[in-house]
Amino acid sequence: MNGNDVRTKGTASTGTRLADTARTGAMSWTRGLFTRARDRLSGGLPRDDAGMTTSEYAMGTIAACAFAAALYQVITSDTVSTALESIIGKALDAQF
């Protein structure tokens, strides 16, 4: 057996591996605890909350409807209707 072999004999190396695993788990838990505390104290959202809330969806929907209404008003105005009729008329009267 060499030093790179995963299957090591003896309780000392097994105990060391278990201690390393326990220490890594405790460090991970502690890091997560401090991250959550920092996020709460800073007033920010937790890092795993990546989506929009219901109110943000509602505001987005209202904004989209307002934009669609504005576009409808522009398209149905006399100026744009006349310009579109002119463009379509010239396209239909074109010589091939």
Coordinates of all heavy atoms in Angstrom, one line a residue:
M1 N 0.8 -1.2 0.0 CA 0.0 0.0 0.0 C 0.9 1.2 0.0 O 1.8 1.3 0.7 CB -0.9 0.0 1.2 CG -2.0 -0.9 1.3 SD -2.9 -0.5 2.7 CE -4.3 -1.4 2.3
N2 N 0.5 2.2 -0.8 CA 1.2 3.4 -0.8 C 0.4 4.5 -0.1 O -0.8 4.3 0.3 CB 1.6 3.9 -2.2 CG 0.4 4.0 -3.1 OD1 -0.7 4.1 -2.6 ND2 0.6 4.0 -4.4
G3 N 0.9 5.7 0.0 CA 0.2 6.8 0.7 C -1.0 7.3 -0.1 O -1.9 8.0 0.5
N4 N -1.2 7.0 -1.4 CA -2.3 7.5 -2.2 C -3.5 6.5 -2.1 O -4.5 6.8 -2.7 CB -1.9 7.7 -3.6 CG -0.9 8.8 -3.7 OD1 -0.8 9.8 -2.9 ND2 0.0 8.7 -4.7
D5 N -3.3 5.4 -1.5 CA -4.3 4.3 -1.5 C -5.5 4.8 -0.6 O -5.2 5.2 0.5 CB -3.7 3.0 -1.0 CG -4.7 1.8 -1.3 OD1 -5.8 2.1 -1.9 OD2 -4.3 0.7 -0.9
V6 N -6.7 4.7 -1.1 CA -7.8 5.1 -0.3 C -8.1 4.2 0.8 O -8.5 4.6 1.9 CB -9.1 5.2 -1.2 CG1 -10.3 5.6 -0.5 CG2 -8.8 6.3 -2.3
R7 N -7.9 2.9 0.6 CA -8.1 1.9 1.6 C -6.9 1.8 2.6 O -6.0 1.1 2.3 CB -8.4 0.6 1.0 CG -9.6 0.5 0.1 CD -9.6 -0.7 -0.7 NE -8.3 -0.7 -1.5 CZ -8.0 -1.6 -2.4 NH1 -8.8 -2.5 -2.7 NH2 -6.9 -1.5 -3.1
T8 N -7.0 2.6 3.6 CA -5.9 2.6 4.6 C -6.3 1.7 5.8 O -7.4 1.6 6.1 CB -5.5 4.0 5.1 OG1 -6.7 4.6 5.6 CG2 -5.0 4.8 3.9
K9 N -5.3 1.1 6.4 CA -5.5 0.2 7.6 C -5.2 1.0 8.8 O -4.4 1.9 8.8 CB -4.7 -1.0 7.5 CG -5.1 -2.0 6.4 CD -4.3 -3.2 6.6 CE -4.7 -4.3 5.5 NZ -4.0 -5.5 5.6
G10 N -5.9 0.7 9.9 CA -5.5 1.2 11.2 C -6.6 2.3 11.6 O -7.2 2.9 10.8
T11 N -6.7 2.4 12.9 CA -7.7 3.3 13.4 C -7.3 4.8 13.4 O -8.1 5.7 13.4 CB -8.1 2.9 14.9 OG1 -6.9 2.9 15.6 CG2 -8.7 1.6 14.9
A12 N -6.0 5.0 13.4 CA -5.5 6.4 13.4 C -5.9 7.1 12.1 O -6.4 8.2 12.2 CB -4.0 6.4 13.6
S13 N -5.7 6.5 11.0 CA -6.1 7.2 9.7 C -7.6 7.2 9.6 O -8.1 8.2 9.1 CB -5.5 6.4 8.5 OG -6.0 5.1 8.4
T14 N -8.3 6.2 10.0 CA -9.8 6.3 9.9 C -10.3 7.4 10.9 O -11.2 8.1 10.5 CB -10.4 4.9 10.3 OG1 -9.8 3.9 9.5 CG2 -11.9 4.9 10.2
G15 N -9.8 7.4 12.0 CA -10.2 8.5 13.0 C -9.9 9.9 12.5 O -10.6 10.8 12.6
T16 N -8.7 10.0 11.8 CA -8.4 11.3 11.2 C -9.4 11.7 10.1 O -9.8 12.9 10.1 CB -6.9 11.3 10.7 OG1 -6.1 10.9 11.7 CG2 -6.5 12.6 10.1
R17 N -9.7 10.7 9.3 CA -10.7 11.0 8.2 C -12.0 11.4 8.8 O -12.7 12.3 8.3 CB -10.8 9.8 7.3 CG -9.6 9.7 6.3 CD -9.9 8.7 5.3 NE -10.0 7.4 6.0 CZ -10.2 6.2 5.4 NH1 -10.3 6.2 4.2 NH2 -10.3 5.1 6.1
L18 N -12.5 10.7 9.8 CA -13.8 11.1 10.5 C -13.7 12.4 11.1 O -14.7 13.2 11.0 CB -14.1 10.0 11.5 CG -14.5 8.6 11.0 CD1 -14.8 7.7 12.1 CD2 -15.8 8.7 10.1
A19 N -12.6 12.8 11.7 CA -12.4 14.1 12.3 C -12.5 15.2 11.2 O -13.1 16.3 11.4 CB -11.2 14.2 13.1
D20 N -11.8 14.9 10.1 CA -11.8 15.9 9.0 C -13.2 16.1 8.5 O -13.6 17.2 8.2 CB -10.9 15.4 7.9 CG -9.4 15.6 8.2 OD1 -9.1 16.3 9.2 OD2 -8.6 14.9 7.5
T21 N -13.9 15.0 8.3 CA -15.3 15.1 7.8 C -16.2 15.9 8.8 O -17.0 16.7 8.4 CB -15.9 13.7 7.6 OG1 -15.1 13.0 6.7 CG2 -17.3 13.8 7.1
A22 N -16.1 15.6 10.1 CA -16.8 16.3 11.1 C -16.5 17.8 11.1 O -17.4 18.7 11.2 CB -16.6 15.7 12.5
R23 N -15.2 18.1 11.0 CA -14.8 19.5 11.0 C -15.3 20.3 9.8 O -15.8 21.4 9.8 CB -13.2 19.6 11.1 CG -12.8 21.0 11.2 CD -11.2 21.2 11.5 NE -10.5 20.4 10.5 CZ -9.7 19.4 10.9 NH1 -9.6 19.0 12.1 NH2 -9.0 18.7 10.0
T24 N -15.2 19.6 8.6 CA -15.7 20.2 7.4 C -17.2 20.5 7.4 O -17.7 21.5 7.0 CB -15.4 19.3 6.2 OG1 -14.0 19.1 6.1 CG2 -15.8 20.0 4.9
G25 N -18.0 19.5 8.0 CA -19.4 19.7 8.1 C -19.7 20.8 9.1 O -20.6 21.6 8.8
A26 N -19.0 20.9 10.2 CA -19.2 22.0 11.1 C -18.9 23.4 10.5 O -19.6 24.4 10.7 CB -18.4 21.8 12.4
M27 N -17.8 23.4 9.7 CA -17.4 24.7 9.1 C -18.5 25.1 8.1 O -18.9 26.3 8.0 CB -16.1 24.5 8.4 CG -14.9 24.5 9.4 SD -13.3 24.1 8.7 CE -13.2 25.2 7.3
S28 N -19.0 24.1 7.3 CA -20.1 24.4 6.3 C -21.3 24.9 7.0 O -21.9 25.9 6.6 CB -20.4 23.1 5.5 OG -21.4 23.4 4.7
W29 N -21.7 24.3 8.1 CA -22.9 24.7 8.9 C -22.7 26.1 9.4 O -23.6 26.9 9.3 CB -23.2 23.7 10.0 CG -24.4 24.1 10.8 CD1 -25.7 23.8 10.5 CD2 -24.4 24.8 12.0 NE1 -26.5 24.3 11.5 CE2 -25.7 24.9 12.4 CE3 -23.4 25.3 12.8 CZ2 -26.1 25.6 13.6 CZ3 -23.8 26.0 14.0 CH2 -25.1 26.1 14.4
T30 N -21.5 26.4 10.0 CA -21.2 27.7 10.5 C -21.2 28.8 9.5 O -21.8 29.9 9.6 CB -19.9 27.7 11.3 OG1 -19.9 26.6 12.2 CG2 -19.6 29.0 12.0
R31 N -20.6 28.4 8.3 CA -20.6 29.4 7.2 C -22.0 29.7 6.7 O -22.3 30.9 6.5 CB -19.8 28.8 6.1 CG -19.6 29.8 4.9 CD -18.7 29.3 3.8 NE -17.4 28.9 4.3 CZ -16.9 27.6 4.2 NH1 -17.6 26.7 3.6 NH2 -15.7 27.3 4.7
G32 N -22.9 28.7 6.6 CA -24.3 28.9 6.2 C -25.0 29.8 7.2 O -25.8 30.7 6.9
L33 N -24.8 29.6 8.5 CA -25.4 30.3 9.6 C -25.0 31.8 9.5 O -25.9 32.7 9.5 CB -25.0 29.8 11.0 CG -25.6 30.5 12.2 CD1 -27.1 30.3 12.3 CD2 -24.9 30.0 13.4
F34 N -23.7 32.1 9.3 CA -23.3 33.5 9.2 C -23.8 34.1 7.9 O -24.1 35.3 7.9 CB -21.7 33.5 9.3 CG -21.2 33.4 10.7 CD1 -20.3 32.4 11.0 CD2 -21.6 34.3 11.7 CE1 -19.9 32.3 12.3 CE2 -21.1 34.2 13.0 CZ -20.3 33.2 13.3
T35 N -23.8 33.4 6.8 CA -24.4 33.9 5.6 C -25.8 34.3 5.7 O -26.2 35.4 5.3 CB -24.2 32.9 4.4 OG1 -22.8 32.6 4.3 CG2 -24.7 33.5 3.1
R36 N -26.6 33.5 6.4 CA -28.0 33.8 6.5 C -28.2 35.0 7.5 O -29.0 35.9 7.2 CB -28.8 32.6 7.1 CG -29.0 31.5 6.1 CD -29.9 30.4 6.6 NE -29.5 29.8 7.8 CZ -28.6 28.7 7.8 NH1 -28.1 28.3 6.7 NH2 -28.3 28.2 9.0
A37 N -27.4 35.1 8.5 CA -27.5 36.2 9.5 C -27.1 37.5 8.8 O -27.7 38.5 9.0 CB -26.6 35.9 10.7
R38 N -26.0 37.5 8.0 CA -25.6 38.7 7.2 C -26.7 39.1 6.3 O -27.0 40.3 6.2 CB -24.3 38.4 6.5 CG -23.8 39.6 5.7 CD -22.7 39.3 4.7 NE -23.4 38.5 3.7 CZ -22.8 37.4 3.1 NH1 -21.5 37.1 3.4 NH2 -23.4 36.7 2.1
D39 N -27.3 38.2 5.6 CA -28.4 38.6 4.6 C -29.6 39.2 5.4 O -30.2 40.2 4.9 CB -28.8 37.4 3.8 CG -27.8 36.9 2.8 OD1 -26.9 37.7 2.5 OD2 -27.9 35.7 2.4
R40 N -29.9 38.7 6.5 CA -31.1 39.2 7.3 C -30.7 40.6 7.8 O -31.6 41.5 7.8 CB -31.4 38.3 8.4 CG -32.2 37.0 7.9 CD -32.7 36.2 9.0 NE -33.3 35.0 8.5 CZ -33.4 33.9 9.1 NH1 -32.8 33.7 10.3 NH2 -33.9 32.8 8.5
L41 N -29.5 40.8 8.3 CA -29.2 42.0 8.9 C -29.0 43.1 7.8 O -29.3 44.3 8.1 CB -27.9 41.9 9.7 CG -28.0 41.1 11.0 CD1 -26.6 40.9 11.7 CD2 -29.0 41.8 12.0
S42 N -28.6 42.8 6.7 CA -28.4 43.7 5.6 C -29.7 44.1 4.9 O -29.7 45.0 4.1 CB -27.3 43.2 4.6 OG -27.9 42.1 3.9
G43 N -30.7 43.4 5.2 CA -32.0 43.7 4.6 C -32.2 43.0 3.2 O -33.2 43.2 2.6
G44 N -31.2 42.3 2.8 CA -31.3 41.7 1.5 C -32.0 40.3 1.6 O -32.3 39.8 2.6
L45 N -32.4 39.8 0.4 CA -33.0 38.6 0.3 C -32.0 37.4 0.5 O -30.8 37.6 0.1 CB -33.7 38.4 -1.0 CG -34.9 39.3 -1.2 CD1 -35.4 39.2 -2.6 CD2 -36.0 39.1 -0.2
P46 N -32.4 36.3 1.0 CA -31.5 35.2 1.0 C -31.0 34.8 -0.4 O -31.7 35.1 -1.3 CB -32.3 34.0 1.6 CG -33.5 34.7 2.3 CD -33.7 36.0 1.6
R47 N -29.8 34.3 -0.5 CA -29.2 34.0 -1.8 C -30.0 33.0 -2.6 O -29.9 33.0 -3.8 CB -27.8 33.6 -1.6 CG -26.9 34.7 -1.1 CD -25.5 34.3 -0.9 NE -24.8 35.5 -0.3 CZ -23.6 35.8 -0.7 NH1 -22.9 35.0 -1.5 NH2 -23.0 36.8 -0.2
D48 N -30.7 32.1 -1.9 CA -31.4 31.1 -2.7 C -32.7 31.5 -3.2 O -33.4 30.8 -3.8 CB -31.5 29.8 -1.9 CG -32.3 30.0 -0.6 OD1 -32.5 31.2 -0.2 OD2 -32.6 29.0 0.1
D49 N -33.1 32.8 -2.9 CA -34.4 33.3 -3.4 C -34.1 34.1 -4.7 O -33.9 35.3 -4.6 CB -35.0 34.2 -2.3 CG -36.4 34.7 -2.7 OD1 -37.0 34.1 -3.6 OD2 -36.9 35.6 -2.1
A50 N -34.2 33.4 -5.8 CA -33.8 34.0 -7.1 C -35.0 34.4 -7.9 O -34.8 34.9 -9.0 CB -32.9 33.0 -7.8
G51 N -36.2 34.2 -7.5 CA -37.3 34.4 -8.4 C -38.0 35.7 -8.0 O -37.7 36.4 -7.1
M52 N -39.1 36.1 -8.8 CA -39.8 37.3 -8.5 C -41.0 36.9 -7.6 O -41.5 35.8 -7.6 CB -40.4 37.8 -9.8 CG -39.4 38.4 -10.7 SD -40.1 39.5 -12.0 CE -41.4 38.4 -12.8
T53 N -41.4 37.9 -6.8 CA -42.5 37.7 -5.9 C -43.8 38.0 -6.7 O -43.8 38.5 -7.8 CB -42.4 38.6 -4.7 OG1 -42.5 39.9 -5.2 CG2 -41.2 38.3 -3.9
T54 N -44.9 37.7 -6.0 CA -46.2 37.9 -6.7 C -46.5 39.4 -7.0 O -47.0 39.7 -8.1 CB -47.4 37.4 -5.7 OG1 -47.1 36.0 -5.4 CG2 -48.7 37.5 -6.4
S55 N -46.1 40.3 -6.1 CA -46.2 41.7 -6.4 C -45.4 42.1 -7.6 O -45.8 43.0 -8.4 CB -45.9 42.5 -5.2 OG -44.6 42.3 -4.8
E56 N -44.2 41.5 -7.8 CA -43.4 41.9 -8.9 C -44.0 41.3 -10.2 O -44.0 42.0 -11.3 CB -42.0 41.3 -8.7 CG -41.2 42.0 -7.7 CD -39.9 41.3 -7.3 OE1 -39.8 40.1 -7.4 OE2 -39.0 42.0 -6.9
Y57 N -44.6 40.2 -10.2 CA -45.4 39.7 -11.3 C -46.5 40.6 -11.7 O -46.8 40.9 -12.8 CB -45.9 38.3 -11.1 CG -44.9 37.2 -11.3 CD1 -44.4 36.4 -10.3 CD2 -44.4 36.9 -12.6 CE1 -43.5 35.4 -10.5 CE2 -43.4 36.0 -12.8 CZ -43.0 35.2 -11.8 OH -42.1 34.2 -12.0
A58 N -47.2 41.0 -10.6 CA -48.4 41.9 -10.9 C -47.9 43.2 -11.5 O -48.6 43.7 -12.5 CB -49.1 42.2 -9.6
M59 N -46.9 43.8 -11.0 CA -46.3 45.1 -11.6 C -45.9 44.9 -13.0 O -46.1 45.7 -13.9 CB -45.2 45.6 -10.7 CG -45.7 46.1 -9.3 SD -47.0 47.3 -9.4 CE -46.2 48.7 -10.1
G60 N -45.2 43.8 -13.3 CA -44.8 43.5 -14.6 C -45.9 43.3 -15.6 O -45.9 43.8 -16.7
T61 N -47.0 42.7 -15.1 CA -48.2 42.5 -16.0 C -48.8 43.8 -16.3 O -49.2 44.1 -17.4 CB -49.2 41.5 -15.3 OG1 -48.5 40.3 -15.0 CG2 -50.4 41.3 -16.1
I62 N -49.0 44.7 -15.2 CA -49.5 46.0 -15.4 C -48.7 46.8 -16.4 O -49.2 47.5 -17.3 CB -49.7 46.7 -14.1 CG1 -50.8 46.0 -13.3 CG2 -50.0 48.2 -14.3 CD1 -50.9 46.5 -11.8
A63 N -47.4 46.8 -16.3 CA -46.5 47.5 -17.2 C -46.6 47.0 -18.6 O -46.7 47.8 -19.6 CB -45.1 47.4 -16.7
A64 N -46.7 45.7 -18.8 CA -46.9 45.1 -20.1 C -48.2 45.5 -20.8 O -48.3 45.8 -22.0 CB -46.8 43.6 -20.1
C65 N -49.3 45.5 -20.0 CA -50.6 45.9 -20.5 C -50.6 47.4 -20.9 O -51.1 47.8 -21.9 CB -51.7 45.7 -19.5 SG -52.0 43.9 -19.2
A66 N -49.9 48.2 -20.1 CA -49.8 49.7 -20.4 C -49.0 49.9 -21.7 O -49.4 50.7 -22.5 CB -49.2 50.4 -19.2
F67 N -48.0 49.1 -21.8 CA -47.2 49.3 -23.0 C -48.0 48.8 -24.3 O -47.9 49.5 -25.3 CB -45.9 48.4 -22.9 CG -44.9 48.6 -24.0 CD1 -44.3 49.8 -24.3 CD2 -44.7 47.5 -24.9 CE1 -43.4 49.9 -25.3 CE2 -43.8 47.7 -26.0 CZ -43.2 48.9 -26.2
A68 N -48.7 47.7 -24.1 CA -49.6 47.2 -25.2 C -50.6 48.3 -25.6 O -50.9 48.5 -26.8 CB -50.2 45.9 -24.8
A69 N -51.2 48.9 -24.6 CA -52.2 49.9 -24.8 C -51.6 51.1 -25.6 O -52.3 51.7 -26.5 CB -52.9 50.4 -23.5
A70 N -50.4 51.5 -25.2 CA -49.8 52.6 -25.8 C -49.5 52.3 -27.3 O -49.7 53.1 -28.2 CB -48.5 53.0 -25.1
L71 N -49.0 51.1 -27.5 CA -48.7 50.7 -28.9 C -50.0 50.6 -29.7 O -50.0 51.0 -30.9 CB -48.0 49.3 -28.9 CG -46.6 49.3 -28.6 CD1 -46.0 47.8 -28.6 CD2 -45.8 50.1 -29.6
Y72 N -51.1 50.2 -29.1 CA -52.3 50.1 -29.8 C -52.8 51.5 -30.2 O -53.3 51.7 -31.4 CB -53.4 49.4 -29.0 CG -54.8 49.3 -29.6 CD1 -55.0 48.4 -30.6 CD2 -55.8 50.2 -29.3 CE1 -56.2 48.3 -31.2 CE2 -57.0 50.1 -29.9 CZ -57.2 49.2 -30.9 OH -58.4 49.2 -31.5
Q73 N -52.6 52.5 -29.3 CA -53.0 53.8 -29.6 C -52.2 54.4 -30.8 O -52.7 55.1 -31.6 CB -52.9 54.7 -28.4 CG -53.9 54.4 -27.3 CD -55.3 54.8 -27.7 OE1 -55.5 55.8 -28.4 NE2 -56.2 54.0 -27.3
V74 N -50.9 54.1 -30.8 CA -50.0 54.6 -31.9 C -50.4 53.9 -33.2 O -50.5 54.6 -34.2 CB -48.5 54.3 -31.5 CG1 -47.6 54.6 -32.7 CG2 -48.1 55.2 -30.3
I75 N -50.6 52.6 -33.2 CA -50.9 51.9 -34.5 C -52.3 52.4 -35.0 O -52.4 52.5 -36.2 CB -50.9 50.4 -34.2 CG1 -49.5 49.9 -33.8 CG2 -51.4 49.6 -35.4 CD1 -48.5 50.0 -35.0
T76 N -53.3 52.6 -34.2 CA -54.6 53.0 -34.7 C -54.8 54.5 -34.9 O -55.8 54.9 -35.3 CB -55.7 52.5 -33.7 OG1 -55.4 53.1 -32.4 CG2 -55.7 51.0 -33.6
S77 N -53.7 55.3 -34.7 CA -53.8 56.7 -34.9 C -53.9 57.0 -36.4 O -53.6 56.2 -37.3 CB -52.6 57.5 -34.4 OG -51.4 57.1 -35.1
D78 N -54.5 58.2 -36.8 CA -54.7 58.5 -38.2 C -53.4 58.6 -39.0 O -53.3 58.1 -40.1 CB -55.5 59.8 -38.3 CG -56.9 59.7 -37.8 OD1 -57.4 58.6 -37.9 OD2 -57.5 60.7 -37.4
T79 N -52.4 59.1 -38.4 CA -51.1 59.3 -39.1 C -50.5 57.9 -39.4 O -50.1 57.7 -40.6 CB -50.1 60.0 -38.2 OG1 -50.7 61.3 -37.8 CG2 -48.8 60.3 -38.9
V80 N -50.5 57.0 -38.5 CA -49.9 55.7 -38.8 C -50.7 54.9 -39.7 O -50.2 54.2 -40.6 CB -49.6 54.9 -37.4 CG1 -49.1 53.5 -37.7 CG2 -48.6 55.7 -36.6
S81 N -52.1 55.0 -39.6 CA -53.0 54.3 -40.5 C -52.8 54.7 -41.9 O -52.7 53.9 -42.8 CB -54.4 54.5 -40.0 OG -54.7 53.8 -38.8
T82 N -52.7 56.0 -42.1 CA -52.5 56.6 -43.4 C -51.1 56.1 -44.0 O -51.0 55.7 -45.2 CB -52.5 58.1 -43.4 OG1 -53.7 58.5 -42.8 CG2 -52.4 58.7 -44.8
A83 N -50.1 56.1 -43.2 CA -48.8 55.7 -43.6 C -48.8 54.2 -44.0 O -48.2 53.8 -45.0 CB -47.7 55.9 -42.6
L84 N -49.4 53.4 -43.2 CA -49.5 51.9 -43.5 C -50.3 51.7 -44.7 O -49.9 50.8 -45.6 CB -50.1 51.2 -42.3 CG -49.2 51.0 -41.1 CD1 -50.0 50.3 -39.9 CD2 -48.0 50.1 -41.4
E85 N -51.4 52.4 -44.9 CA -52.2 52.2 -46.1 C -51.4 52.6 -47.4 O -51.5 52.0 -48.4 CB -53.5 53.0 -46.1 CG -54.5 52.5 -45.1 CD -55.7 53.4 -44.9 OE1 -55.9 54.4 -45.7 OE2 -56.6 53.1 -44.1
S86 N -50.6 53.7 -47.2 CA -49.8 54.1 -48.4 C -48.7 53.1 -48.7 O -48.5 52.8 -49.9 CB -49.1 55.4 -48.0 OG -48.1 55.8 -48.9
I87 N -48.1 52.5 -47.7 CA -47.1 51.5 -47.9 C -47.7 50.2 -48.6 O -47.1 49.7 -49.5 CB -46.4 51.1 -46.6 CG1 -45.5 52.3 -46.1 CG2 -45.5 49.9 -46.8 CD1 -45.0 52.1 -44.7
I88 N -48.8 49.8 -48.1 CA -49.5 48.6 -48.6 C -50.0 48.9 -50.1 O -49.8 48.0 -50.9 CB -50.6 48.2 -47.7 CG1 -50.1 47.6 -46.4 CG2 -51.5 47.1 -48.4 CD1 -51.1 47.4 -45.3
G89 N -50.5 50.1 -50.3 CA -51.0 50.4 -51.6 C -49.8 50.5 -52.6 O -49.9 49.9 -53.8
K90 N -48.6 51.0 -52.3 CA -47.5 51.0 -53.1 C -47.0 49.6 -53.4 O -46.6 49.3 -54.5 CB -46.4 51.8 -52.5 CG -46.6 53.3 -52.6 CD -45.5 54.1 -51.9 CE -45.8 55.6 -51.8 NZ -44.8 56.3 -51.1
A91 N -47.1 48.7 -52.4 CA -46.6 47.4 -52.6 C -47.5 46.6 -53.5 O -47.1 45.8 -54.4 CB -46.5 46.6 -51.2
L92 N -48.8 46.8 -53.4 CA -49.8 46.1 -54.3 C -49.7 46.7 -55.7 O -50.0 45.9 -56.7 CB -51.2 46.2 -53.7 CG -51.4 45.5 -52.4 CD1 -52.8 45.8 -51.9 CD2 -51.2 44.0 -52.6
D93 N -49.4 48.0 -55.9 CA -49.4 48.6 -57.3 C -48.0 48.4 -58.0 O -47.8 48.8 -59.1 CB -49.7 50.1 -57.2 CG -51.1 50.3 -56.8 OD1 -51.9 49.4 -57.0 OD2 -51.4 51.4 -56.3
A94 N -47.1 47.7 -57.3 CA -45.7 47.5 -57.9 C -45.8 46.7 -59.1 O -46.6 45.8 -59.2 CB -44.8 46.9 -56.9
Q95 N -45.0 47.0 -60.1 CA -44.9 46.3 -61.4 C -43.9 45.2 -61.2 O -42.8 45.4 -60.7 CB -44.5 47.2 -62.5 CG -45.4 48.4 -62.8 CD -46.7 47.9 -63.5 OE1 -46.7 47.0 -64.2 NE2 -47.8 48.6 -63.2
F96 N -44.2 44.0 -61.7 CA -43.3 42.9 -61.6 C -42.8 42.5 -63.0 O -43.3 42.6 -64.0 CB -44.0 41.6 -61.0 CG -44.3 41.8 -59.5 CD1 -45.6 42.1 -59.1 CD2 -43.3 41.7 -58.6 CE1 -45.8 42.2 -57.8 CE2 -43.6 41.9 -57.3 CZ -44.8 42.1 -56.8

